[in-house]
Amino acid sequence: MPNLLLELRSEEIPARMQRKAAGDLKKLVTDALVEAGLSYEGAREYWTPRRLALDIHGLTARSADVREERKGPRTDANEKAIEGFLRGAGLSSVSEAQVVSDPKKGDFYVAVISRPGRATEEIVTDIMPGIIRDFPWPKSMRWGKASSKPGALRWVRPLQSIVCTFGPEHEETTVIPFEIDGITASNITYGHRFHAPEAITVRRFEDYAAHLEKAKVILDAERRKDIILHDARDIAFANGLELVEDEGLLEEVSGLVEWPQVLMGSFEEDYLSIPSEIIRLTIKTNQKCFVTRKQGEETLSNKFILVSNIQASDGGKEIVHGNGKVVRARLSDALHFWKRDQGNLPDLETLTASAAKFGLDIKKPLDQRMAKLDALDVTFHTKLGTQGARVARIRALAKQLADITGADPGLVDRAAVLAKADLRTEAVGEFPELQGLMGRKYAALQGEDASVAAAIEDHYKPQGPSDRLPEDRVAITVALADKLDTLIGFWAIDEKPTGSKDPFALRRAALGVVRILLERRIRLPLLATTKDIDLLSFFHDRLKVYLRDQGARHDLIDAVLTSDADDLLMVARRVEALTAFITSEDGKNLLAGTKRATQLLAAEEKKGTVIADGVSPALLTLDAEKELFAAISGASKDASDAVAREDFRSAMEALSKLRGPVDRFFEDVLVNDEDAAIRANRLALLRLIREATGTVADFSKISG
């Protein structure tokens, strides 16, 4: 079977776009080929900073012939209907259609449409210009003399050449020479820009990849990542250090080089007085370099690892020297930020009103920054006011929550007041991702309680489903207050998530609340706190997602979750108990009996059958119904008592005693007795079954 090789070579593609672009190319091309009637055995995409490549193997040489019979209107249909049929079938007159007789429907037209198959080369020529022209880059540009013309090609960076070859595995391949904006596909590509700029003639993927490697281009991005990672580990180990690994940086750096060369640089040890997080971010953000630390230690060393795209003749000395100069300059700036953040602001006299409002100690640097944040009226959201107003709301909400979490109210108040203060520090101004963490460091430096310092960092957590949770009660309280204030505020101004759009990360905030409540076992009445049933429903959606991710069945969640259930911890505990019960033998049998009872009852309710208000013992004539009535009375009381104690497992055990009586009832008793009074009484007995099991869950929503 023939193989197709495609390469789109351009100037440097931003690293963050490469992986997705290669995947998009694969999908667009393979979907178009299949739609055109071709099939293939496999396809794999590749990317480097200067090229997207696609290897499609086992591709059919031509599409199959197609014969289609399209049924039309009756021969005596109106003229417009017949014209529409002819137009849709591509026929010029009814003489080109066949007439088919149906004994029941009469004579009608049928168009027989035959389309011969097409050569793969023709199909590729047809589809590729459109794919390239409409490629879904997040950002694209025009270039050159043709850029001013209407419809000029747009690409992420100037497109320089296209390779497109097709042919069997062991025979000569042919070029599919489609053209777009003056660029004609060929079998010519180019290697590394500096090491091997000469033209390379290729036939199929195997020699294409091999030729590129000789020309100092490693095509496989995963291989480049592996080379960088292992060489970086090795060079660190050789210097008595270990690499601080960073998957995101590794992905980015592998998208910056085609021939990775790993080198080690250094900076003065004096800079190690800067917090490790700032050093790491400074070096990562500005120079795309990795940091190292002494083996077995947490603090960083003064050695960093860089990845070059050039195999320098001097062993990389000049490259290391140049990177070192930039790193030192950036660390000098970082040291300046770090020191300035610990000093006094120059305009303290303007901050007294804000300091008084929040009870701040104007002698302390972090307090000054909070006062500055308020005094500047920094906007949080145009409809929700300033950051200062938000801190005031979080402070008030945290005070209420402290009673529920059991946190020290004084420490909670102090943490809430200082939680956003580091937003006005220079370190966070330079690296916003350090918010919270820098606040913790500055709080510790000015002697704040350890719980307050921890809460300043952890009140942002969790940032996602796998992020760690705050542990300290003070941190838990402020984290809940922060997220609840966000959700209450955006619900109040009707800025809710819609579809896939969630610009204010409200789903993440709600999931954070759910995780904290369930994993830290906190009983919080959400409806009383938020006073919004629609917001409570949003929490229910996040709770369902969380519980399903934990392995809970969706029907069991629905059986437990009522529209006004605002104690999410209790919902989770009910689901846990119901899951254990419903998978037991007693649970399965009781579910079957209960569903039979509730379905029969629902059917009679729908018909308007008379059902007694309560069960009359005098009308219980059979032993099976007397036994069931007694069993329900006992089980219902025991289950209700257990639910009141929040002992849901015991509630399930109490209900399990109904299994035998319910089975015997349906074996021995005819519910729809001819005597209307007996029938109404027996239906009332079925209603008692529904009410008894309903103390724990709505069994009608459980599948099975």
Side-chain angles (χ1 to χ4, degrees):
M1 296 281 280
N3 301 331
L4 178 70
L5 168 65
L6 178 70
E7 181 201 66
L8 304 174
R9 189 179 63 89
S10 67
E11 292 186 10
E12 275 72 6
I13 305 167
R16 68 184 183 280
M17 298 182 187
Q18 293 168 17
R19 183 181 291 272
K20 183 179 184 303
D24 287 341
L25 180 64
K26 174 183 171 182
K27 186 176 190 310
L28 289 168
V29 173
T30 55
D31 283 358
L33 293 174
V34 170
E35 189 176 344
L38 300 174
S39 63
Y40 64 96
E41 294 176 359
R44 184 177 172 186
E45 70 275 29
Y46 297 86
W47 62 94
T48 79
R50 299 177 61 218
R51 67 199 79 221
L52 302 179
L54 186 59
D55 170 33
I56 302 178
H57 53 273
L59 182 63
T60 46
R62 65 182 294 113
S63 62
D65 296 340
V66 175
R67 185 180 186 277
E68 176 190 354
E69 290 190 1
R70 187 174 299 178
K71 186 177 178 181
R74 286 166 50 102
T75 55
D76 58 359
N78 64 63
E79 190 175 334
K80 285 189 175 180
I82 294 174
E83 286 177 358
F85 160 67
L86 294 174
R87 190 167 50 250
L91 305 182
S92 57
S93 70
V94 291
S95 63
E96 297 178 3
Q98 296 180 4
V99 177
V100 177
S101 297
D102 186 305
K104 295 181 179 179
K105 298 180 180 179
D107 294 345
F108 57 90
Y109 291 116
V110 171
V112 178
I113 304 170
S114 296
R115 288 194 299 271
R118 301 166 65 201
T120 297
E121 293 94 325
E122 182 184 341
I123 292 172
V124 172
T125 298
D126 187 39
I127 66 172
M128 281 310 305
I131 289 174
I132 294 172
R133 190 174 293 281
D134 300 328
F135 200 80
W137 292 109
K139 292 183 179 180
S140 57
M141 61 180 289
R142 293 179 296 182
W143 64 94
K145 294 180 180 179
S147 63
S148 60
K149 297 179 181 178
L153 175 64
R154 299 185 67 93
W155 197 248
V156 63
R157 294 291 185 271
L159 189 62
Q160 296 176 328
S161 68
I162 301 171
V163 168
C164 189
T165 65
F166 180 67
E169 188 173 352
H170 300 297
E171 297 177 20
E172 196 57 50
T173 58
T174 60
V175 173
I176 304 179
F178 64 85
E179 185 269 339
I180 181 168
D181 273 32
I183 303 173
T184 302
S186 69
N187 60 353
I188 303 296
T189 189
Y190 297 84
H192 193 286
R193 174 172 289 176
F194 304 110
H195 290 308
E198 301 82 12
I200 301 170
T201 302
V202 298
R203 292 177 298 169
R204 56 181 59 85
F205 178 78
E206 286 72 17
D207 70 284
Y208 164 74
H211 278 311
L212 282 181
E213 184 134 355
K214 289 179 182 176
K216 300 290 192 287
V217 174
I218 295 175
L219 185 63
D220 188 342
E222 295 304 321
R223 240 191 93 206
R224 293 198 304 275
K225 286 175 66 174
D226 192 61
I227 290 169
I228 293 167
L229 180 60
H230 284 87
D231 285 0
R233 285 173 176 169
D234 289 347
I235 196 171
F237 183 78
N239 285 271
L241 305 168
E242 63 183 22
L243 176 71
V244 177
E245 297 186 15
D246 186 324
E247 176 60 31
L249 180 58
L250 180 61
E251 174 80 9
E252 182 177 12
V253 169
S254 73
L256 297 174
V257 296
E258 291 190 318
W259 191 250
Q261 303 296 306
V262 177
L263 304 166
M264 177 173 278
S266 64
F267 55 86
E268 287 73 17
E269 291 191 356
D270 291 349
Y271 289 122
L272 295 177
S273 62
I274 307 169
S276 295
E277 296 83 359
I278 297 180
I279 295 175
R280 183 175 180 179
L281 269 175
T282 298
I283 293 176
K284 171 182 176 178
T285 304
N286 293 292
Q287 285 303 102
K288 313 303 179 191
C289 295
F290 298 86
V291 293
T292 64
R293 60 191 167 213
K294 291 184 179 178
Q295 293 177 5
E297 296 185 10
E298 287 298 317
T299 55
L300 299 183
S301 79
N302 68 324
K303 306 286 186 182
F304 64 91
I305 290 174
L306 62 102
V307 182
S308 171
N309 192 36
I310 298 174
Q311 189 171 340
S313 57
D314 65 353
K317 290 180 181 178
E318 278 301 311
I319 295 172
V320 168
H321 176 70
N323 276 265
K325 284 177 65 176
V326 178
V327 165
R328 291 184 194 94
R330 296 293 178 262
L331 288 176
S332 178
D333 292 341
L335 182 60
H336 177 69
F337 299 151
W338 171 240
K339 289 180 176 178
R340 277 186 58 120
D341 285 340
Q342 297 174 57
N344 290 330
L345 292 173
D347 53 353
L348 291 182
E349 67 281 355
T350 66
L351 306 179
T352 53
S354 293
K357 185 194 303 184
F358 290 98
L360 297 165
D361 184 350
I362 207 70
K363 296 177 182 177
K364 295 182 176 180
L366 200 57
D367 292 57
Q368 294 174 21
R369 272 69 187 175
M370 178 56 220
K372 186 71 172 180
L373 184 70
D374 179 66
L376 288 174
D377 287 334
V378 176
T379 300
F380 168 62
H381 185 280
T382 52
K383 295 181 181 179
L384 293 173
T386 65
Q387 287 282 9
R390 182 166 188 242
V391 169
R393 292 195 304 270
I394 292 172
R395 185 184 189 187
L397 188 52
K399 182 178 181 181
Q400 298 175 31
L401 295 174
D403 293 335
I404 295 170
T405 62
D408 182 294
L411 297 179
V412 166
D413 187 69
R414 181 66 173 159
V417 165
L418 293 179
K420 307 295 181 184
D422 68 355
L423 296 178
R424 289 305 305 169
T425 62
E426 296 197 35
V428 173
E430 181 74 8
F431 301 113
E433 54 266 61
L434 290 179
Q435 61 186 16
L437 188 145
M438 295 312 303
R440 179 176 191 162
K441 291 186 178 296
Y442 293 135
L445 285 172
Q446 68 179 38
E448 299 294 334
D449 186 280
S451 291
V452 171
I456 292 172
E457 177 180 4
D458 289 354
H459 83 282
Y460 288 107
K461 296 187 174 298
Q463 297 273 7
S466 59
D467 193 20
R468 69 175 180 85
L469 292 173
E471 298 181 7
D472 186 278
R473 288 184 182 274
V474 175
I476 289 169
T477 307
V478 182
L480 284 172
D482 176 75
K483 291 165 181 59
L484 288 170
D485 173 73
T486 297
L487 290 160
I488 293 168
F490 282 105
W491 245 250
I493 62 173
D494 199 27
E495 289 277 6
K496 306 168 188 175
T498 56
S500 60
K501 295 182 179 178
D502 186 10
F504 303 109
L506 301 181
R507 291 189 181 95
R508 186 176 69 187
L511 180 61
V513 171
V514 169
R515 284 192 60 202
I516 291 172
L517 296 182
L518 269 55
E519 296 178 36
R520 294 294 179 251
R521 309 193 73 76
I522 295 171
R523 304 281 303 277
L524 175 64
L526 281 171
L527 190 55
T529 304
T530 64
K531 299 178 175 59
D532 190 319
I533 192 72
D534 183 58
L535 180 51
L536 179 61
S537 175
F538 185 68
F539 278 115
H540 286 176
D541 291 341
R542 295 303 96 198
L543 175 67
K544 290 177 182 178
V545 171
Y546 175 84
L547 292 177
R548 285 199 294 266
D549 287 346
Q550 299 298 310
R553 281 169 38 183
H554 69 88
D555 58 324
L556 301 188
I557 301 171
D558 290 339
V560 166
L561 190 59
T562 58
S563 60
D564 60 348
D566 73 343
D567 186 339
L568 302 190
L569 180 59
M570 287 302 99
V571 172
R573 288 180 56 188
R574 281 174 180 261
V575 171
E576 182 183 352
L578 182 59
T579 300
F581 175 64
I582 217 67
T583 53
S584 69
E585 199 61 32
D586 280 346
K588 292 175 184 175
N589 290 324
L590 178 60
L591 174 62
T594 300
K595 288 180 81 71
R596 183 177 176 184
T598 54
Q599 288 167 358
L600 196 159
L601 180 63
E604 295 303 317
E605 287 174 333
K606 188 175 183 179
K607 290 190 291 186
T609 306
V610 175
I611 302 172
D613 292 336
V615 175
S616 171
L619 292 175
L620 300 174
T621 59
L622 301 176
D623 289 343
E625 58 184 331
K626 292 176 183 178
E627 181 187 357
L628 178 59
F629 180 59
I632 290 174
S633 300
S636 182
K637 182 181 184 306
D638 291 345
S640 296
D641 290 345
V643 169
R645 299 192 308 271
E646 298 175 358
D647 184 355
F648 301 113
R649 289 187 180 275
S650 294
M652 299 293 178
E653 290 173 6
L655 292 177
S656 69
K657 297 173 184 176
L658 293 176
R659 171 193 168 184
V662 168
D663 290 346
R664 282 188 288 276
F665 176 83
F666 281 113
E667 289 172 5
D668 300 349
V669 178
L670 176 64
V671 175
N672 286 322
D673 194 88
E674 293 180 358
D675 186 315
I678 292 177
R679 180 170 64 245
N681 199 56
R682 287 174 179 171
L683 288 171
L685 192 56
L686 296 186
R687 187 165 58 200
L688 284 184
I689 297 175
R690 185 171 67 186
E691 291 171 353
T693 55
T695 59
V696 174
D698 184 348
F699 275 47
S700 68
K701 293 183 178 178
I702 303 175
S703 60

